[in-house]
Amino acid sequence: MRTVLIVDDEPQLLRALQVNLHAEGYRVLTALDGATALAHAETAHPDVIVLDLGLPDINGVDVITRIRRTSGTPIIVLSARHGSVEKVRALDAGADDYVTKPFGLDELLARLRVAERRLGASDGGEQGPTIDVGDFEADLTNRKITRDGAAVRLTPREWAILLLLMRNPGRLITQQQMLAKIWGPGYDNETHYLRVYMGQLRRKLEADPARPRHLLTEAGMGYRFEP
């Protein structure tokens, strides 16, 4: 049974989601504020976090940032903020998905299933080589990255992008292929997601993120990995 932590300051919405997700077979934890959310994230180790940005005590983006210091748990933002700037801020902080209110339960369940598939792939021990490109070393079997001898923490979404690229060295992966593979159907136009995540990966892995050697952009087309 997967555990979902739902963080929202609307008690009625929180209760409705708790009842419906429990009926779908999830174990559900709830939090009305950021402090409680951080405590649950640290002690209960949920499998997925569904997080509203408008919390009464701590900004939701700050909650994401603090969770990402120690955890790669998938985070789905659930927010009434529709602007692209808000989405990019949340994704840049480490969120994996963004659902705008109002939303349908079916949509949220679909997003949870996507997060679960990533968890399953991460837990399932997909076999792969250790690739040393000089600037960093990637152990694809154990999902570990080291740079200059130090471990580098990636979010589940960053891992998914990096694995897709590194398992296809030298090959152009189009934006649409990446979005369909990693986010699923219905995300064909969300190319800004890719720009955000590729920027994060370059900052973490490239010696000079402004002039990357390994995680390359083909303008208007897609991305490729050069070993």
Side-chain angles (χ1 to χ4, degrees):
M1 179 181 290
R2 294 292 193 186
T3 299
V4 179
L5 169 60
I6 307 172
V7 187
D8 199 292
D9 65 344
E10 299 179 42
Q12 290 181 331
L13 176 61
L14 209 59
R15 178 58 181 165
L17 288 176
Q18 184 178 30
V19 170
N20 282 285
L21 292 181
H22 183 74
E24 294 290 335
Y26 291 96
R27 176 174 176 255
V28 181
L29 303 173
T30 61
L32 286 164
D33 54 53
T36 306
L38 291 169
H40 280 324
E42 182 177 355
T43 60
H45 306 293
D47 297 297
V48 184
I49 299 171
V50 178
L51 172 70
D52 184 20
L53 294 182
L55 301 175
D57 56 343
I58 306 173
N59 183 279
V61 172
D62 293 333
V63 174
I64 296 169
T65 300
R66 290 166 66 172
I67 290 173
R68 280 289 171 258
R69 291 174 186 166
T70 59
S71 173
T73 301
I75 298 174
I76 302 173
V77 169
L78 193 64
S79 178
R81 303 175 185 178
H82 291 244
S84 61
V85 173
E86 295 291 343
K87 291 183 180 181
V88 169
R89 284 188 64 217
L91 293 168
D92 205 20
D96 296 277
D97 207 344
Y98 197 106
V99 180
T100 54
K101 298 178 180 178
F103 64 93
L105 180 62
D106 288 344
E107 179 184 4
L108 180 59
L109 289 171
R111 306 295 181 100
L112 286 170
R113 287 193 293 270
V114 171
E116 289 177 55
R117 286 197 292 271
R118 292 201 310 277
L119 282 171
S122 179
D123 295 341
E126 285 183 353
Q127 297 301 305
T130 297
I131 300 175
D132 186 350
V133 300
D135 293 320
F136 62 92
E137 182 176 297
D139 180 348
L140 303 188
T141 300
N142 296 304
R143 306 294 179 98
K144 294 181 179 179
I145 293 281
T146 54
R147 180 179 174 187
D148 299 327
V152 177
R153 180 179 293 277
L154 300 185
T155 69
R157 193 80 74 174
E158 289 168 350
W159 257 118
I161 292 172
L162 187 64
L163 286 172
L164 178 60
L165 291 170
M166 295 190 79
R167 287 188 170 133
N168 295 276
R171 176 186 167 194
L172 173 68
I173 308 296
T174 68
Q175 295 174 340
Q176 286 68 35
Q177 287 173 330
M178 293 184 76
L179 289 166
K181 178 74 173 178
I182 297 169
W183 274 269
Y187 285 84
D188 292 354
N189 297 320
E190 306 293 347
T191 55
H192 62 283
Y193 284 15
L194 298 177
R195 290 194 296 272
V196 169
Y197 279 99
M198 290 300 293
Q200 291 174 181
L201 282 169
R202 286 172 179 143
R203 286 192 293 274
K204 291 180 178 182
L205 302 179
E206 294 277 5
D208 185 353
R211 290 184 287 274
R213 297 174 54 199
H214 308 292
L215 303 173
L216 306 181
T217 298
E218 299 288 343
M221 299 173 62
Y223 302 91
R224 82 171 74 240
F225 169 68
E226 289 295 343

